[in-house]
Amino acid sequence: MAAQGGRNSAGRTGATEPAAAPAPGLQGRRILFGVTGSIAAFKAAGWVRCLANEEARVTVVMTRAAEQFISRLTFGALSGNRVHGDMFASDPEGIMAHITLSREADCVLIAPATAQTIARLAHGLADDLLSAAVLAADIPVVLCPAMNTNMLHHPATRDNLDRLREIGYTVIAPASGSLACGEVGAGRMPEWDLVRETLLALFADQDLAGRRILITAGPTREPLDPVRYLSNRSSGRMGYALARTARRRGAGVTLVAGPVNLPDPPGVRVVRVTTAVEMRDTVRTLAEGMDIIVGAAAVADFRPRTCQERKIKKRGAVTSIELERNPDIMAELGRNRRPGLLLVGFAAESHDHEQEGRRKLEEKNLDLVVVNDILGSRTGFDVETNQVTLLTARDRRRLPLLSKEATADRIWDRVVELATP
Ligand code: CTP
């Protein structure tokens, strides 16, 4: 959309649009990556690659046991950096490595973390390079325990993990499933997505801590018969980006999502719905406990008056579909709002962007409206980027073209300002 509520002509005419700013991610973050002796070490190789792809700066420290499972060469090639392992390396870079490694890092990630390494760290031992480097570190430490279920549940390991949590280390709970030892249970390495989010949260301001936030996302589907429905092109990406970024910033997040093809953001409660009425009912039930509600869903405004139980046959010659209005979820919330609840809506517009955004701000009694252009090639539906204008009763702020996550972060910045008296 254009600055004065006009149209984003660039999007439609194919004229050059500004390049999107990089996503807020792990780019440039310096990760000291400890790998210990578990068969899950091969997964760590994939994670190092993910970090390197994201342009994080990874330095790997391996224990001797880890080298039984995977070679230094693998991590050296994937990280592009020297791999450390010798406590008593005599070269100038290696000699003080147990001190310098953590000084030159923003956080430590140990994955997989074996029972042995966990015990070492819990007792403050410093008898190998990794444990000495962690002992010398005054940066955040994240552990991904991975081991046999019985080892994990052994009181000694549990006590050690409790001790590490007390110290302030972040312990990511192992996933459950079939383990390399043939048993089934807890002890697997978690999904990378969860680990990545944990790292991102370490680097994010926790300015939404303690806030309970509900976000609607995606389209709704309004059935016509058992095989057909009315819907729209919403992918849910903007709402999901809001959920991820809010979680990173410390909020308790509930996502009420229509049918979308996106993975659940780690740490977010996701409630799946299909129709607008289901979404309204779910939001109504959950609204009670919320501090902030964001309507990022593209709720279908109309639904077929009747849903046929059986498939409509073409011989039946249906030439028109009778529609009825769906509830307007944000408008209902705006009408019945309790003091202190902050309401954020979106305005998906093809024309008269700002004017329409202001109308929705007032008519729905919202605190903030995020106006976006649905016709731009890099804004709106089904793309990774967005360019929005933030409207409040007092002012307007136009954001540049950004990734949807970066846009989400800027929306939260504004929400934090509005929520701070
Ligand atoms: N919204 C909603 N329930 C609806 C329709 C919209 O809660 N039945 C919310 C959306 O989630 C968004 C805001 O209202 O936060 C504006 O949605 P939008 O589709 O842009 O506008 P509409 O209210 O449908 O108005 P119009 O059709 O005139 O554009």
Side-chain angles (χ1 to χ4, degrees), residues 192-208:
W192 170 240
D193 195 17
L194 170 60
V195 180
R196 180 174 182 272
E197 286 299 329
T198 306
L199 296 178
L200 286 168
L202 289 179
F203 299 123
D205 275 349
Q206 297 298 294
D207 51 2
L208 290 172

Side-chain angles (χ1 to χ4, degrees), residues 142-219:
V142 178
L143 299 163
C144 297
M147 65 197 77
N148 164 274
T149 303
N150 291 340
M151 292 170 82
L152 182 69
H153 291 140
H154 193 286
T157 309
R158 293 223 306 246
D159 286 352
N160 289 336
L161 285 171
D162 285 346
R163 175 79 191 116
L164 292 177
R165 286 191 199 94
E166 258 170 47
I167 292 173
Y169 295 176
T170 303
V171 177
I172 301 183
S176 291
S178 64
L179 304 170
C181 57
E183 288 176 22
V184 176
R188 288 166 63 91
M189 289 264 272
E191 293 296 321
W192 170 240
D193 195 17
L194 170 60
V195 180
R196 180 174 182 272
E197 286 299 329
T198 306
L199 296 178
L200 286 168
L202 289 179
F203 299 123
D205 275 349
Q206 297 298 294
D207 51 2
L208 290 172
R211 309 258 186 204
R212 293 153 305 169
I213 301 181
L214 185 150
I215 300 164
T216 67

